[in-house]
Amino acid sequence: ENRITGKLNLVIDDPAKPQAAFLMYQAVYRDGAIPDTVPERQKQLLGYVTAGFRIDALMLGTLGTLPDDVAQRVYDGEPATDEKLFHASHPGRAFADARFRRSLTLAVGGRTWTLEYASLPAFEAEVAGRAQLLGLALGGGLVSLLLFVIVWSLATTHARAEAMAGRMTRSLRESETKLRALFAQAPLGVWLLDTDGRIVDCNDQFARYAGVDRERILGFNVLRDASDPALKGPIEQAIAGQTVACETPYTFTVSRVASVYQWHFQPVRIDDETGFVLGFVEDISARK
């Protein structure tokens, strides 16, 4: 399900004219289904679809126009305090002066909003000649209608977020399929190393150079367990963030296959640090 943040200001808005807003997050999982357990969700998580909402614009878009008979306030949390005020349809209206008032809470995206409603002069004039019970019942009906509109708006927003997540998931799958095909069919040996020097993936061409099945290569630590130290320095430089290219003879530990190779190591950065190293290798012994 989706989750929302507390009250904040969007960075795209003018800091001198802050507008109360919140962010909604919708998780996107592999295969499009929500796993049942937390560990499964963590494993299948691809990322998040994020949308920002200015609360004033959301309420105006939901109601169409500002009501002239009922004033509304929305607070981010409870109890309702001035610091938590999220939205006020009529900022100048003193709720304490209203003849009819109603307060209730609403669960939204993992948070609790407090909603307050107060009658405006137009509403009070309409019910002035009626019994107080009838006025309270009508006020409750207006509150229920407003709540229905708010919940309906959030539900349709959730549906749009899920549809967007579905489209993004399909796009990610297509991209992943294309990259996997390129990885598998490349004429060069391609391999991935983590920042500890372990081989986490490789294509069939790299396995052919190594002289063993691909499954025997995965998990091998080149920095710690390789009998030939020729690649230790270049790999450590790549993990440190440098792009490295070199030509050198090399003997694979797992098969004792030896030849002359051209090596290229490209660090891939994630959040301003090396996440893994992408390596390319070509047997150049015939050219030599």
Side-chain angles (χ1 to χ4, degrees):
E1 59 185 271
N2 56 40
R3 286 290 184 268
I4 67 170
T5 66
K7 178 182 176 182
L8 51 79
N9 294 320
L10 301 177
V11 296
I12 62 174
D13 289 335
D14 185 355
K17 300 177 181 179
Q19 302 183 59
F22 63 92
L23 297 178
M24 177 182 289
Y25 293 88
Q26 173 68 48
V28 180
Y29 298 97
R30 298 181 190 277
D31 303 324
I34 301 177
D36 295 328
T37 65
V38 172
E40 289 176 343
R41 288 197 290 270
Q42 293 173 339
K43 183 179 181 181
Q44 296 296 322
L45 180 67
L46 287 175
Y48 300 89
V49 176
T50 307
F53 296 86
R54 297 184 186 91
I55 185 66
D56 289 344
L58 174 65
M59 299 306 298
L60 184 59
T62 299
L63 299 175
T65 58
L66 287 178
D68 58 5
D69 53 358
V70 175
Q72 177 193 62
R73 289 178 181 172
V74 181
Y75 297 85
D76 179 30
E78 56 177 339
T81 62
D82 291 341
E83 295 77 16
K84 296 179 180 179
L85 182 62
F86 212 5
H87 164 75
S89 64
H90 298 73
R93 177 62 174 175
F95 276 35
D97 298 335
R99 182 179 178 186
F100 305 113
R101 296 179 59 185
R102 179 79 181 272
S103 177
L104 64 159
T105 58
L106 178 68
V108 183
R111 299 185 65 84
T112 299
W113 285 358
T114 300
L115 292 87
E116 288 187 348
Y117 297 91
S119 58
L120 293 173
F123 179 86
E124 295 173 359
E126 183 179 348
V127 300
R130 304 178 185 179
Q132 185 178 17
L133 180 61
L134 177 60
L136 289 173
L138 181 58
L142 287 172
V143 169
S144 299
L145 177 60
L146 286 170
L147 279 176
F148 169 78
V149 173
I150 293 170
V151 173
W152 174 82
S153 176
L154 290 173
T156 54
T157 300
H158 177 80
R160 290 195 297 271
E162 286 190 331
M164 183 185 299
R167 292 194 297 271
M168 292 181 65
T169 300
R170 287 192 296 273
S171 178
L172 287 171
R173 286 178 184 164
E174 292 174 359
S175 298
E176 186 177 5
T177 299
K178 293 175 182 176
L179 289 174
R180 175 54 60 179
L182 179 62
F183 182 81
Q185 298 172 15
L188 301 177
V190 185
W191 52 325
L192 302 178
L193 300 98
D194 64 17
T195 52
D196 291 325
R198 283 189 296 268
I199 300 175
V200 296
D201 203 355
C202 69
N203 67 354
D204 291 339
Q205 182 60 49
F206 183 85
R208 283 191 287 271
Y209 283 154
V212 294
D213 292 337
R214 177 175 172 275
E215 287 70 23
R216 290 188 57 190
I217 299 172
L218 302 184
F220 182 82
N221 192 307
V222 183
L223 295 180
R224 187 188 63 211
D225 301 326
S227 58
D228 189 333
L231 298 181
K232 187 173 187 297
I235 291 174
E236 288 177 339
Q237 288 179 278
I239 292 173
Q242 300 180 45
T243 298
V244 183
C246 60
E247 294 181 3
T248 181
Y250 188 74
T251 302
F252 285 92
T253 304
V254 291
S255 64
R256 309 310 301 173
V257 171
S259 190
V260 181
Y261 303 94
Q262 185 173 50
W263 307 89
H264 183 97
F265 299 100
Q266 177 65 50
V268 178
R269 301 186 68 80
I270 301 175
D271 295 333
D272 294 328
E273 62 182 13
T274 301
F276 59 92
V277 173
L278 176 62
F280 301 94
V281 58
E282 181 182 11
D283 188 332
I284 59 172
S285 57
R287 188 169 78 221
K288 286 289 184 181

